[in-house]
Amino acid sequence: MRLPQQFADWFNAKGWKPYPHQQDIFVQSAAGRSVLLVAPTGAGKTLSGFLPSLIELSQNPQEGLHTLYLSPLKALAVDIARNLETPADEMGLDITIETRTGDTPQAKRNRQRAAPPNILLTTPESLELMLSWSDAAKLFGQLRYIIIDEIHALVGSKRGDLLALSLASLRHIAPTSQSIGLSATIAEPEEMRCWLSAKIDNVAIVQPQLDKDIQINILDSKAAYLPWAGHSALYAAAEIYALIKEKRPALIFVNTRAQAEMMFQALWRENDLNLKIGLHHGSLDVGQRRRIEAAMARSELDAIVATSSLDLGIDWADIQLVIQIGAPKDTSRLIQRVGRAGHQLDVPSHAVIVPANRFEVLEALAARLDVEAKRLDEMPQHAGALDVLSQHIVGRAVAGPFDEDKLYAQIITAPPYRHLSREDFDKVLDFVATGGYALSHYTQFQRLVKGVDGFWRLTSRRVATRWRMNIGTIVETSTMKVRMKGGAPLGDIEEYFVQSLTAGDSFIFAGRILEFVGVSAQQAIVRPCTAKEPKVPAYAGGRLPLSPGLAARVRAILQDRALHHYLPKQVREWLHLQAEKSILPPPDKLLVETFKRGQKFYMAAYGFAGRNAHQTLGMLLSRRMERQGYGPLGFVATDYAIAIWSRHLVTTPEALFSSDILGDDLEEWMAESTMLKRSFWQVAIIAGLIDKRAPGQEKTQKQVTINSDLIYDVLRTHQPSHLLLQATRQDAARGLTDIHRLADLLTSFEGNILHKNLSRISPLSVPLLLEVGREAVTASAVDELLSDLEATLLEEAFGYSSEEKLPSAHQGQLL
Amino acid sequence: MKEGKPAIETHFCGVRVQLGADASLYLPECKTLLVSDLHLEKGKAQSKAAPLPRFDTSEGIAKLSAAITRTNAKEVIFLGDSFHTNLHAFQLPEIYRQQLINLAKDRAFIWITGNHDPDLPEFLPGQIVPNYSAAGLYFTHQIRPEEASISGLICGHYHPKARVSLQIRQLSGRCFIQDETRMIMPAFGIFTGGLNILDPAIQKLLSKRQIAHFCHAGKIYKFPVDRKVFLKN
């Protein structure tokens, strides 16, 4: 089957030859199949996705919604729409193309509802909203194509959960539709079939064998001193600048916003050629980000320093080099980022990894070896979040009364919810309807009611209004707008950081050194200044932990002497020293070192299970050690290892590391942990228990947090099985606590501990102990600190110890 | 090794007192237990802005019972705002009335009225009074103008709490705050919010030499109020 003449002519006129996979997609769609296209950047994915629609519409011009395109980014939807106009105009096609996002003006939205375009480009949140309209069935009834872009980025997140549920609802009212998913290179494309259709046999996978040549190098720094710890890589700023001079434009990826700001400043200090270097991250003002992106598209910039904010987006002209600052953590993500370089498929992509410390060198080498072996990290598979399901169920009721059995049948077609038990579904439904037992006497939580006809409906229109204002799964921490005195908005900063500033303090943000002037109308006002040591704001948001695949590769590198010659001299020597003074971590045992340092005894365990799992392990071990009288005082966790220090030496670590620590200890700790309160807060907002934005009520984050903390405590004590607690534990297990990974670690090394008791600190533990400022402190350490403080203050203030009497003014009087 | 304790023994205006980390105050010489601002039934208050589950009353009474058992008090004085509102007091469910009556067996209960509960129902065991004295000390809910010059005064109402700065983090907790002649008790209730001790509303009641007894994680610590260590919110 060939492309219609009109299209073949158009390709010819552009001097392009259609890729085989572009033909494939057209052929498969014409045969009535849904398609997953898996390809790296530069493969003409977007045009591929729209070809079936454009062809059909060219042969059958019509009114009404024909194709729906979904993208996780508003900006992407807008850019793609603009790009689509080109072939549509040049071929003289009679097609209407429009976007709808949070930024679309109300008048335009109203008109789109009454007279929809042929092709609508929109976001998952807008789709969920449109599906709640009473005329949704009419709007989407004749839909032919659903195109889901960057689909790999959505799987595994709550946003993806919500999208999956929306798609299940959409396909129900649009039974004649076919789906086209556009994905970057991923490890297991087979897993994604079910996202395109419930009938997975009717889904074709088109994965062109494009051997995009990726060349990854690790910066072999000539710096005298490779840092032991820290993640900023500022030591290499001059060398990074040298790289940009050679190959531009360059994309420089860092892992956090603070790192982006600091590296940006550092590069400008090196900038003797006055290269145009830009900055891009999620806290910058939206207008600023769009300007930078546009400048890059016009090839006006030499380099951009960016966070994952640039992971998704439209293909650009000619990135010559991708620099990954800091360990990549995940090979799939690395490959996707590297793929941004070399827009054409036949041009190799160049990438350089700049490790920020010695351990990261190992990780960088592991990543390079994995990429060369084409080993990709798998996407995390999570069961669909229950708070998201709660939100969606309310949305179904807004659309109209529903039957619970039919709704359950529909929900389990959504991939993240395929294993949802009827029992859990009933629990979620009960929560949505009544708030769950503990809250059931508050009328505002009576959101649904079952009529005599057996159908569930909303208890009032107010529920719909509240729901509409709170759609989405992104719960932001409290931020404050930052504005230049006399004008331009610069972006958003965490509120707590602003609260720590006094007038005159300086900090870096948006690529500038700013002086804090004050707060006015809920905004932080600043002006430029040239302070010597400005503060660097910290941003909320977790860091990606080391993937299991990379962890395994790092362990292998440690053991394989032949690979050591790839390492820089300083790292080789360090490992050699470790082998001499202690031992390199063996592949089949958990290495645990103990040593004394100062007045404290240290225990270091090299689990390579990622930071989150180690952090949890630290909490659990502290509790156990506390009970057993070791007096633990604090611990620090990295992606590779954990170190705990205590008042007494641990002579038999085997007893501490048994997997039963994951039983009662874990339950108890999870019950007390403040980290869970934070998860609960987010869950409560997504599930609609607490409004981020209620009509007429502006709630500060503090008020909302206080309320949710109290509710959490009481639910925990009196109704531990409450749905929201279940959802919170689910979140915690997969996110910050990474329980599964910890469980794997403990069970695989059960009874297999290699204990080295040393007379002094080991070389391998040095980076751990230098993770300054990241220590967690145990309860008994807090007690000790408070008692010490008590003694000190009393001594200073009154010159006596707390056991003596407080001087009294005079006797009380009897009345 | 330094460690905090669940209760601290000290003196206030010449009288021996035991301050508990549970926010209770005990006078061992006359076996009198003082608690303040229980705000029972606050959970039931149908506040749209701040929905709170309704278990605070049973927890509050359980906490009270534990304090009574621990001290074996013969007299219990409630320093006001024992109930969240008058209405809640009068409509106290039967099960809680019975619990209070049981606790009051062989003991004297003294209920001082507060601004949230200026009227109290008769079914409550014990006496209902606007203020009280014992052991040379004077107890009231909120300091009225005519009480301003009384020495050895203990009051409630303000729910004092403090924010303490340690090197590595900041901690928040309820606390007792006093100068040479007056003491303000922390709230005993489960759901009560608090006012920072550095707030002018509290500071204006006290002289310069202040001591705070800070409660955290079941232990209580004694700190002279030092601005470097105590933070405003």
Side-chain angles (χ1 to χ4, degrees), chain A residues 684-722:
Chain A
I685 288 183
I686 293 173
L689 182 79
I690 297 173
D691 291 336
K692 227 182 348 175
R693 280 168 293 231
Q697 279 177 331
E698 280 307 311
K699 276 216 270 279
T700 67
Q701 180 183 327
K702 194 151 180 224
Q703 289 173 302
V704 175
T705 315
I706 290 173
N707 298 342
S708 80
D709 281 354
L710 289 172
I711 300 177
Y712 175 74
D713 279 337
V714 175
L715 287 182
R716 203 171 43 80
T717 317
H718 293 276
Q719 194 184 349
S721 63
H722 192 277

Side-chain angles (χ1 to χ4, degrees), chain B:
Chain B
M1 219 25 94
K2 286 222 137 280
E3 241 182 24
K5 299 186 275 285
I8 284 186
E9 270 233 6
T10 181
H11 285 74
F12 174 63
C13 295
V15 179
R16 229 172 97 215
V17 300
Q18 260 179 32
L19 304 178
D22 60 357
S24 68
L25 186 154
Y26 184 59
L27 304 170
E29 251 127 52
C30 50
K31 293 189 175 326
T32 298
L33 178 72
L34 262 80
V35 292
S36 184
D37 296 275
L38 269 68
H39 282 270
L40 294 177
E41 294 286 272
K42 178 169 178 175
K44 215 188 206 163
Q46 289 251 8
S47 163
K48 282 198 165 49
L52 301 167
R54 56 191 159 169
F55 301 107
D56 60 320
T57 305
S58 68
E59 282 203 19
I61 295 181
K63 195 177 170 201
L64 174 66
S65 173
I68 291 176
T69 307
R70 176 175 61 80
T71 55
N72 199 13
K74 288 301 164 210
E75 183 180 58
V76 180
I77 305 178
F78 297 84
L79 245 60
D81 280 0
S82 312
F83 298 89
H84 194 54
T85 66
N86 277 348
L87 193 60
H88 287 113
F90 281 88
Q91 293 185 346
L92 189 67
E94 185 57 39
I95 177 176
Y96 300 135
R97 295 187 204 193
Q98 201 49 50
Q99 283 175 359
L100 290 172
I101 290 171
N102 289 343
L103 281 176
K105 280 202 177 71
D106 303 321
R107 287 180 187 96
F109 268 25
I110 316 283
W111 302 86
I112 296 179
T113 48
N115 54 305
H116 275 248
D117 57 351
D119 301 301
L120 289 172
E122 287 185 357
F123 60 71
L124 289 178
Q127 295 178 54
I128 299 169
V129 293
N131 54 59
Y132 194 70
S133 307
L137 300 173
Y138 180 85
F139 312 114
T140 185
H141 175 68
Q142 185 179 4
I143 306 176
R144 298 185 198 86
E146 61 269 22
E147 296 167 324
S149 57
I150 298 177
S151 223
L153 180 150
I154 302 183
C155 74
H157 179 71
Y158 292 93
H159 307 195
K161 71 171 197 215
R163 208 169 166 73
V164 171
S165 168
L166 298 176
Q167 310 117 325
I168 34 92
R169 58 156 72 154
Q170 294 174 356
L171 299 172
S172 228
R174 304 182 186 195
C175 72
F176 298 78
I177 181 139
Q178 65 179 101
D179 61 16
E180 303 93 332
T181 62
R182 286 175 175 170
M183 179 186 292
I184 307 178
M185 286 191 61
F188 190 79
I190 305 295
F191 277 154
T192 51
L195 186 63
N196 192 303
I197 50 172
L198 299 181
D199 190 286
I202 291 181
Q203 284 298 307
K204 72 174 195 255
L205 299 173
L206 303 166
S207 74
K208 288 278 170 263
R209 283 185 97 206
Q210 296 166 22
I211 304 258
H213 284 87
F214 177 70
C215 306
H216 182 79
K219 306 239 168 88
I220 182 166
Y221 309 86
K222 172 175 172 172
F223 296 120
V225 177
D226 177 325
R227 297 281 156 152
K228 292 197 295 297
V229 161
F230 283 87
L231 307 169
K232 277 210 94 153
N233 286 336

Side-chain angles (χ1 to χ4, degrees), chain A residues 2-12 59 91:
Chain A
R2 308 196 56 97
L3 283 179
Q5 198 56 46
Q6 191 180 20
F7 284 78
D9 287 344
W10 179 74
F11 270 100
N12 265 330
Q59 291 166 343
M91 284 190 263

